[in-house]
Amino acid sequence: MMELPRQVQQEITQRLTASEKEREKTRQYLQQGELLKADSPERIEKRKMRLLANQSLTMILSKENREALATSPVGEAPESAQRALERQIGGNDTQPCWFLTRGTELRRTVGRIHIRDASRRVGWGTGFLVAPNLMVTNQHVLDSLETARFSRVEFDYEETFEGEVLLSAIFDLAPEIFFVSHPARGGMDYALVAVTDRARADSRRPDANLAEFGYNVLVREEGKLAKGEMIHSIHHPEGQPRQVSLRENRLTALQDMWLHYETDTQQGSSGAPLYNNQWEIVGIHHGGVEKRDSEGNILAIGGSHWTPQMGERQKWWYANEGLRISRFVADVEAQVKAALDSNAPPVADRVVTQAGHALFEAILKPSQNRAVPTPSPTVEGDGSFVPQSSHGGFNPE
């Protein structure tokens, strides 16, 4: 696990306290079934246009409702069309089956970070691939170029239904090629770092190539999420095998840089991707705040006082905070541009080589083809796990 610095926890608490009324109002609109009122008309319009552009939602919204929403503002559309959009934003309990298959694909882009110093592992984190050979996590996970140089990322650390563990692949990081970060304390708390092509020789799968795990295509435009919508996360809580948070996770407040949401995450989840119902990245998980009583005691689930003997899983979380992905893309783009300016003064712990810049351009100009990982390793007759054959790491849709 890697704990947030105390001052960063205080910053999160202050922001969550400031958004408490907004979060409560969102919950009230949820209970009343009036989610179109939870967000501003401008943000609802942006969300509408993005949903209408998704062809897979045609059957859900119906042709008539899509046409009505496409030709008028939401507030002027027929009530049936508004309700259809509201159900889509609110999280229809029935999802198309591609929701499962796409989530299954993208889970392989998420890895367990081994935070290390020169001699040993000192903590866990979560990271995810956002371009070929580029991974993002929190800065409080990889707090310096030196930490990144010693740390590693492990993909496919996951348990099967039968309780077996997949053969995982561990990769070294390559901060000497690319490393850009923003501080956790008073900042955005992100680190973007290059990852090597081939797995380490001491991996359980030393023949693995990073390309087989695919990557997440980032969308800088707004409109990917409205208040009250579901947020999903894939992560490695406390360094455990890969897990997914799907149920009762809602965006309840939106600040300029931050998302505030109710998602079940724990230490070790720092740096995890946050997804919407269409499996688009909407944010980077940053940290949570525990519920406390009037005397400042941490509460356990159910309301009793929490003690360390109960374990992290029994903590009652007040709310979580994540960095908006649109803000991340804009900031890291500015940092890369500054790093390439020969007249700009050098910045400590920032490396952008020519090769690293070429990798970063894949974020700014992603292919129209989805970055689909190859199939997960499967069980052989003797109980061992081997990867299925593939014709490439990034298969077109």
Side-chain angles (χ1 to χ4, degrees):
M1 300 178 290
M2 182 54 64
E3 293 188 4
L4 275 166
R6 185 62 186 165
Q7 183 167 340
V8 178
Q9 292 180 18
Q10 293 172 349
E11 292 173 2
I12 296 175
T13 301
Q14 290 172 358
R15 289 192 290 265
L16 286 169
T17 300
S19 73
E20 187 167 5
K21 290 184 178 179
E22 180 184 356
R23 290 185 285 113
E24 179 57 32
K25 198 170 183 179
T26 300
R27 285 190 286 267
Q28 290 176 1
Y29 282 126
L30 268 168
Q31 292 172 357
Q32 297 165 6
E34 297 180 318
L35 268 185
L36 294 184
K37 296 180 180 179
D39 226 324
S40 67
E42 293 77 17
R43 283 194 54 81
I44 293 295
E45 284 298 311
K46 288 180 180 179
R47 186 66 184 125
K48 177 196 78 172
M49 296 308 296
R50 186 142 194 92
L51 288 172
L52 290 179
N54 190 324
Q55 296 301 315
S56 64
L57 299 178
T58 301
M59 296 300 295
I60 296 175
L61 289 176
S62 82
K63 181 180 179 181
E64 293 77 11
N65 287 333
R66 286 176 65 90
E67 289 178 351
L69 290 167
T71 55
S72 63
V74 174
E76 299 175 12
E79 184 177 349
S80 61
Q82 291 187 38
R83 289 299 178 188
L85 179 63
E86 197 164 50
R87 284 194 298 272
Q88 186 57 40
I89 291 176
N92 194 326
D93 286 341
T94 300
Q95 293 289 344
C97 281
W98 60 253
F99 177 82
L100 295 177
T101 56
R102 185 58 175 153
T104 299
E105 292 169 350
L106 288 177
R107 86 192 199 287
R108 299 198 70 209
T109 68
V110 180
R112 177 174 71 158
I113 296 177
H114 300 230
I115 309 167
R116 299 178 58 89
D117 59 20
S119 58
R120 63 189 179 90
R121 182 184 59 77
V122 296
W124 301 113
T126 300
F128 58 103
L129 295 167
V130 294
N133 299 90
L134 280 184
M135 178 190 75
V136 68
T137 185
N138 291 146
Q139 189 269 345
H140 78 262
V141 172
L142 298 178
D143 60 5
S144 68
L145 194 72
E146 188 74 1
T147 299
R149 185 172 290 117
F150 293 118
S151 297
R152 303 161 186 170
V153 59
E154 180 180 11
F155 292 100
D156 274 353
Y157 179 56
E158 178 180 309
E159 285 184 342
T160 68
F161 179 74
E162 292 79 14
E164 302 288 345
V165 179
L166 298 180
L167 292 182
S168 60
I170 301 176
F171 295 80
D172 288 321
L173 306 183
E176 70 280 1
I177 301 296
F178 189 99
F179 186 81
V180 173
S181 66
H182 205 280
R185 183 175 174 178
M188 293 185 177
D189 192 16
Y190 73 75
L192 182 64
V193 62
V195 184
T196 56
D197 278 317
R198 304 295 299 182
R200 289 175 54 88
D202 56 1
S203 291
R204 297 183 69 199
R205 280 195 57 217
D207 60 334
N209 190 298
L210 189 67
E212 75 176 69
F213 298 96
Y215 60 91
N216 297 271
V217 174
L218 301 187
V219 177
R220 70 171 76 195
E221 291 81 15
E222 295 184 11
K224 297 182 291 297
L225 200 66
K227 282 191 283 187
E229 264 192 285
M230 294 287 192
I231 287 180
H232 313 300
S233 183
I234 302 172
H235 50 122
H236 286 274
E238 298 180 302
Q240 298 171 48
R242 191 164 49 203
Q243 297 181 25
V244 58
S245 297
L246 290 175
R247 296 191 297 271
E248 298 305 319
N249 311 317
R250 302 276 183 175
L251 174 68
T252 51
L254 192 67
Q255 298 184 343
D256 179 56
M257 286 200 308
W258 305 106
L259 305 166
H260 288 168
Y261 48 96
E262 300 169 344
T263 300
D264 186 16
T265 53
Q266 301 171 29
Q267 291 182 18
S269 301
S270 295
L274 302 174
Y275 294 96
N276 63 13
N277 265 342
Q278 291 74 51
W279 291 105
E280 295 174 312
I281 295 283
V282 297
I284 306 165
H285 178 64
H286 158 68
V289 173
E290 310 98 336
K291 286 204 174 198
R292 296 175 183 263
D293 62 17
S294 59
E295 297 178 354
N297 297 304
I298 298 174
L299 298 179
I301 296 172
S304 63
H305 285 180
W306 177 84
T307 62
Q309 292 75 20
M310 294 179 179
E312 291 290 321
R313 290 185 174 214
Q314 291 303 310
K315 280 186 178 178
W316 190 0
W317 292 96
Y318 175 55
N320 284 302
E321 183 176 78
L323 176 64
R324 295 173 64 176
I325 204 65
S326 57
R327 304 309 189 252
F328 161 76
V329 174
D331 188 81
V332 75
E333 182 179 9
Q335 285 215 56
V336 170
K337 184 177 180 181
L340 297 174
D341 184 352
S342 58
N343 296 319
V347 174
D349 282 347
R350 186 170 72 187
V351 176
V352 181
T353 64
Q354 185 175 358
H357 183 230
L359 294 175
F360 178 71
E361 286 186 325
I363 293 179
L364 300 182
K365 299 176 182 178
S367 167
Q368 293 302 307
N369 292 335
R370 297 187 309 169
V372 179
T374 57
S376 298
T378 54
V379 186
E380 287 287 280
D382 60 359
S384 63
F385 290 87
V386 296
Q388 294 180 0
S389 60
S390 168
H391 297 293
F394 310 111
N395 302 319
E397 184 174 17

